[in-house]
Amino acid sequence: MKALVIGGGGREHALVRALSLDPGVTSLHCAPGNPGTSELAENHVINVTDGLAVTELAARIGAELVVIGPEAPLVAGVADELRRRGIPVFGPDQAAARIEGSKAFAKEVMAAAGVPTAASRVCRTASQVSEALDLFGPPYVVKNDGLAAGKGVVVTEDRKLAERHAQECGRVVVEEYLDGPELSLFVLSDGRNTVPLLPAQDFKRAHDGDQGPNTGGMGAYAPLPWAPPGLVDEVMETVVRPTVAELARRGTPYQGLLYAGLALTSRGVRVVEFNARFGDPETQVVLDRLATPLGALLQATDTGNLGGVTGLEWRPGAAVTVVVAAEGYPGTPAKGDLIGGLAEANAVEGAYVLHAGTAWSGVRDVKSNGGRVLSVVGSGADLAEARRRAYEAVSKIELRGSFYRTDIAERAALGQA
Ligand code: AMP
Ligand code: GLY
């Protein structure tokens, strides 16, 4: 199978790596990719939200599978364009991707499907916002209605801050605060049949102890030793299958990966958000554990053959990823600084470095080129070993002004959420 991966972050490097380990994948391309993917795939410079450009590239290289990593091309309708041309694609059409592209649409689908989520109000004016904040009380949760790369949400006790965020965003969703630990469950869907991957946990806040602003994600681990037995079955039954059925009923069947962001609250499981794609950085740990070849699995979401997939194989043990972020992230990140220690980090047993916001500097050196610069993965017999290896590899990285969280999977290694 010839495969093309769209995107250029840590998630896409993880996808390229997993596809490179699949014996069924004979040729691998990535657009735009990054220095990390260039070691495993041929990179192509194109505008990935331009459906025609993506389709032309896919046709030119004879792609038998196009894997769309990020949300922007999905929301722009790139998958629609590929399907129109008969090119197999992993990722939902524009209409189904609205489950991520509009928080208000996601809430509407959940209401129609009877899926448990935070009570919410869509607000357009300051007085609607004020009323909704009164209704739900603190801590206040205010979400930008559109795409915001994980940074459009403010959760705060500070009413002024909540009001200011709403004002800056325009149309917002104000909602009830959900307590309890969060987890991410990725589910493959061919429009009808669904297959869950391993649940993972992501660390959204910038600093240790869940302090600081929300980010795209500063680290992740899988599996979850603290997850109650039967959790995945329960989420499939109460959240995933009703949502996929509701989208099919509306004539917009969901083909690709449905990402359920969940909170295990004192009152039961609630959906925090849906995404229309693999999560970043959770993908880095979930794919590290997956033993089933990835190519045919992703292709089956397009051809409607997921019903034939009876169970996935997972490697025993655990994986942890730690994101190395640039100075200034999640605000304006510093760019263009040389990155040292990549070879040393890759030499740590059970660890490897996935590139995210990096670029070539000359022909050999790599420099920072984004907020989340690297996603360092460690794996081992258990979370404690995986953590040790990930952090040992992180300690080899040299990047001026960079920072990372030191508490990724710390509690989980002790069996706690
Ligand atoms: P979202 O973009 O909707 O995933 O929100 C980003 C992060 O904000 C989530 O992962 C949560 O940590 C937090 N968050 C979002 N909605 C809520 C909520 N209703 N209650 C508590 N925390 C929330
Ligand atoms: N890690 C959160 C996300 O991918 O949205």
Side-chain angles (χ1 to χ4, degrees):
M1 177 195 301
K2 292 182 188 152
L4 167 63
V5 174
I6 300 298
R11 165 185 49 213
E12 286 76 26
H13 191 178
L15 285 162
V16 164
R17 180 177 183 274
L19 289 167
S20 77
L21 297 171
D22 178 345
V25 175
T26 49
S27 152
L28 200 45
H29 298 258
C30 192
N34 61 39
T37 66
S38 76
E39 290 178 5
L40 302 167
E42 186 180 338
N43 282 354
H44 302 266
V45 182
I46 57 165
N47 173 4
V48 299
T49 56
D50 178 346
L52 278 179
V54 173
T55 307
E56 263 168 33
L57 173 63
R60 180 155 61 77
I61 63 182
E64 291 148 299
L65 173 66
V66 179
V67 178
I68 302 183
E71 57 274 23
L74 295 168
V75 170
V78 171
D80 308 50
E81 189 69 35
L82 287 159
R83 286 202 173 92
R84 256 198 299 278
R85 291 276 293 268
I87 300 172
V89 54
F90 171 76
D93 280 348
Q94 187 171 41
R98 283 184 74 209
I99 198 91
E100 169 163 5
S102 166
K103 304 251 183 217
F105 175 75
K107 287 289 187 188
E108 183 198 314
V109 169
M110 283 189 267
V115 169
T117 184
S120 66
R121 290 282 168 86
V122 180
C123 305
R124 289 173 194 82
T125 66
S127 70
Q128 286 172 341
V129 168
S130 176
E131 222 172 274
L133 294 175
D134 285 342
L135 176 67
F136 298 123
Y140 303 108
V141 182
V142 179
K143 303 184 171 188
N144 192 338
D145 183 42
L147 288 184
K151 294 177 281 189
V153 178
V154 158
V155 180
T156 180
E157 297 275 345
D158 181 343
R159 174 132 185 168
K160 289 246 153 17
L161 195 69
E163 286 172 346
R164 198 171 338 125
H165 183 64
Q167 201 182 359
E168 282 164 9
C169 292
R171 187 167 129 121
V172 293
V173 174
V174 175
E175 66 179 40
E176 159 199 20
Y177 176 77
L178 300 173
D179 62 358
E182 284 185 51
L183 63 104
S184 307
L185 183 68
F186 300 164
V187 181
L188 299 172
S189 168
D190 66 7
R192 236 162 11 104
N193 305 293
T194 49
V195 176
L197 305 185
L198 216 52
Q201 192 175 47
D202 171 25
F203 292 73
K204 291 257 164 66
R205 301 282 187 144
H207 304 301
D208 283 6
D210 294 328
Q211 301 298 306
N214 264 317
T215 70
M218 293 297 291
Y221 65 89
L224 311 179
W226 49 266
L231 176 68
V232 172
D233 290 342
E234 182 192 339
V235 172
M236 292 302 287
E237 191 182 318
T238 61
V239 172
V240 175
R241 283 195 281 268
T243 301
V244 168
E246 173 63 18
L247 288 166
R249 196 188 62 75
R250 290 170 178 237
T252 55
Y254 194 92
Q255 294 179 283
L257 184 140
L258 184 65
Y259 166 139
L262 305 158
L264 294 193
T265 76
S266 42
R267 294 184 297 139
V269 174
R270 297 281 184 279
V271 174
V272 177
E273 64 166 344
F274 282 126
N275 291 320
R277 39 129 190 120
F278 272 108
D280 188 345
E282 298 98 308
T283 300
Q284 286 84 310
V285 289
V286 171
L287 292 184
D288 182 87
R289 299 290 84 205
L290 181 67
T292 306
L294 186 63
L297 204 54
L298 299 186
Q299 205 181 38
T301 63
D302 191 60
T303 52
N305 288 336
L306 216 47
V309 175
T310 47
L312 303 179
E313 273 182 71
W314 298 98
R315 279 184 244 284
V320 171
T321 190
V322 178
V323 168
V324 177
E327 183 176 32
Y329 180 73
T332 309
K335 291 185 183 175
D337 291 304
L338 279 185
I339 303 169
L342 289 169
E344 290 79 0
N346 275 318
V348 171
E349 187 189 350
Y352 54 92
V353 179
L354 297 172
H355 288 230
T358 66
W360 289 114
S361 175
V363 285
R364 252 201 324 264
D365 292 332
V366 174
K367 63 184 178 185
S368 61
N369 193 39
R372 293 189 290 176
V373 180
L374 303 170
S375 185
V376 179
V377 181
S379 63
D382 55 20
L383 281 171
E385 187 174 50
R387 262 191 110 233
R388 244 189 336 270
R389 289 170 163 177
Y391 278 111
E392 192 191 336
V394 167
S395 75
K396 311 287 184 196
I397 301 293
E398 293 156 22
L399 172 60
R400 188 199 62 82
S402 65
F403 68 98
Y404 58 88
R405 279 184 64 157
T406 67
D407 62 350
I408 305 300
E410 186 173 37
R411 289 168 54 86
L414 305 171
Q416 297 162 13

